[in-house]
Amino acid sequence: MDEQLRTAAENGDIHALYRKLADDPYILDRIDHIPIVDTPLHVASVAGKPHFAMKVANLKPSLAWKLNHMGLSPIHLALQHKCIKMIEDPDLLAEFLSACPSSVEDTTVHCETAVHVAIRNGSIRCFKVLLGWLGRVDKEDVLNWKDEDGNTALHIAVSSGQTEASFDCFL
């Protein structure tokens, strides 16, 4: 990725993003053509810059479901790095999911969905947002998807003693 764009994503500098786009309006398109890549969304997710990430997702929604070399989408990275603003702010998470609804079906290289990752990281508020989203878009079947070890999100919640999440999975 272009170093100026990477720096803008790390710093959450939306003005620098627009300056870069003014200089090179196709930069996001070129990134989108790379099959496996860290996008500005990935970088902003790790850096905890949700407003920058949302701006990029609105400009180029397809980048939201790109996987990096570890098989992780931007939302998975936000969950793993406990970027609270990115993953536990219901409005931001809902906006992210609205910009890229299919990202809720993305899986990591370990066949984990964002729901698996939220439960593994103990992000109950995030889990509840995802659960609500799955219900709204009629994708509750994602809750039954198994990771590479054959565990659903419910299995993980029960085995780690997260009773609140376990109960919600049954509803």
Side-chain angles (χ1 to χ4, degrees), residues 111-170:
C111 300
E112 293 178 315
T113 65
V115 178
H116 285 96
V117 176
I119 294 295
R120 269 197 214 287
N121 289 323
S123 299
I124 299 302
R125 287 180 59 205
C126 180
F127 167 73
K128 287 183 175 189
V129 170
L130 290 165
L131 188 63
W133 178 258
L134 290 170
R136 278 191 293 283
V137 297
D138 197 28
K139 300 248 184 224
E140 293 97 341
D141 63 310
V142 170
L143 293 171
N144 297 320
W145 290 10
K146 296 180 180 181
D147 65 14
E148 68 182 5
D149 296 323
N151 295 314
T152 65
L154 176 58
H155 292 123
I156 296 166
V158 169
S159 67
S160 62
Q162 296 182 48
T163 56
E164 187 177 359
S166 302
F167 179 74
D168 286 343
C169 279
F170 284 113

Side-chain angles (χ1 to χ4, degrees), residues 56-104:
V56 173
N58 285 329
L59 290 168
K60 192 72 174 169
S62 56
L63 294 181
W65 60 76
K66 282 279 191 195
L67 301 181
N68 69 7
H69 68 285
M70 297 296 294
L72 300 171
S73 70
I75 197 165
H76 289 119
L77 287 172
L79 287 165
Q80 281 189 342
H81 289 87
K82 299 193 185 259
C83 296
I84 303 303
K85 289 181 184 174
M86 184 94 170
I87 61 170
E88 291 196 352
D89 181 319
D91 295 331
L92 284 175
L93 183 56
E95 189 176 337
F96 181 82
L97 291 168
S98 293
C100 189
S102 65
S103 67
V104 79

